Amino acid sequence: MTNLKDPHEELTNGDFTEVTQPFDLFSEWLEDAKASEPNDPNAFSLATVDQTGLPNVRMLLLKGFDERGFVFYTNFESTKGKELLQAGKAAMCFHWKSLRRQVRIRGPVVEVPADEADAYYQSRPRGSRIGAWASKQSRPLESRFALEKEVAKFTAKFGIGDIPRPEHWSGMRLEPVSIEFWHDRPFRLHDRVLLTREAPGQKWKRERLYP
């Protein structure tokens, strides 16, 4: 007789709820996602609020992380950029469907140092660097042709030379004060563990949550 295993069982081996160092666990989960997710394992949703408190959410790509926080890049003149600078805080959520896992992160955001932003910008494909100049992100666009004209204009301007990073384009680092790890379990009796701290750099406090 064939022994059919619950597909959830293998995914829940190991008690991650005893975690004390959230960045180590996040790194492990991200590596797992790189092996199982068909596209963009570093994709996450970023939530911000406007001046009235109305939320905005959109998908981005994580470009780096360490114990200082989680880094992504944006045009500061975009809706996203303006809201980040105005509120000074944000939330992100990673959902890896293939692994039945989710990580939610909240905290203040700060601009990365210029040298860090420059290094990342220069690592991007040339077309992406041109795009950072050509796109007036989030603002009305009359046609696709208008965008292509802007791309052509900056392609001609920079020729085959260096393309400097625009002053309005840089990185933000979310410095987490709250990180929640969620793992699917049968009958919606999921495992959830929340790590919180009063401020970046302080000690983490851990607690389990009801599903």
Side-chain angles (χ1 to χ4, degrees), residues 23-37 40-43 62-65 70 94 96 99 101 103 181:
F23 295 105
D24 291 343
L25 181 58
F26 179 85
S27 179
E28 292 176 15
W29 281 22
L30 182 59
E31 287 303 310
D32 289 343
K34 289 178 181 179
S36 66
E37 289 292 309
D40 298 328
N42 59 330
L62 181 72
K63 293 303 181 181
F65 76 95
F70 300 83
F94 293 83
W96 297 301
L99 297 172
R101 291 173 177 171
V103 181
F181 295 90

Side-chain angles (χ1 to χ4, degrees), residues 13-29 65 67 70 102-104 178-183 191-197 203-209:
N13 288 341
D15 191 0
F16 75 92
T17 59
E18 296 301 315
V19 61
T20 58
Q21 301 299 324
F23 295 105
D24 291 343
L25 181 58
F26 179 85
S27 179
E28 292 176 15
W29 281 22
F65 76 95
E67 293 193 359
F70 300 83
Q102 175 178 270
V103 181
R104 298 169 59 207
S178 171
I179 304 181
E180 180 192 322
F181 295 90
W182 177 99
H183 206 319
D191 282 327
R192 294 174 65 187
V193 61
L194 175 66
L195 292 102
T196 57
R197 56 185 179 180
K203 187 176 180 179
W204 292 99
K205 173 186 174 182
R206 184 187 71 238
E207 58 183 342
R208 291 193 66 153
L209 303 177

Side-chain angles (χ1 to χ4, degrees), residues 46-153:
L46 178 74
T48 57
V49 295
D50 66 15
Q51 291 182 334
T52 70
L54 188 66
N56 262 317
V57 66
R58 75 288 281 168
M59 299 300 298
L60 279 76
L61 296 178
L62 181 72
K63 293 303 181 181
F65 76 95
D66 54 27
E67 293 193 359
R68 295 173 297 169
F70 300 83
V71 176
F72 56 92
Y73 288 82
T74 188
N75 184 323
F76 286 163
E77 296 176 352
S78 68
T79 298
K80 169 175 14 79
K82 290 177 181 177
E83 290 177 355
L84 288 165
L85 295 174
Q86 181 269 324
K89 60 188 71 172
M92 53 175 58
C93 179
F94 293 83
H95 178 228
W96 297 301
K97 188 174 182 180
S98 64
L99 297 172
R100 301 175 183 263
R101 291 173 177 171
Q102 175 178 270
V103 181
R104 298 169 59 207
I105 306 167
R106 304 167 69 215
V109 291
V110 297
E111 186 176 351
V112 303
D115 59 346
E116 185 175 340
D118 288 341
Y120 170 71
Y121 181 78
Q122 293 302 327
S123 74
R124 304 178 85 209
R126 189 173 184 85
S128 296
R129 283 178 276 159
I130 290 288
W133 283 94
S135 175
K136 301 178 179 67
Q137 194 175 51
S138 300
R139 281 158 283 183
L141 174 64
E142 62 187 67
S143 67
R144 181 74 187 182
F145 180 63
L147 175 60
E148 291 171 349
K149 284 201 305 181
E150 289 296 303
V151 171
K153 180 179 77 173

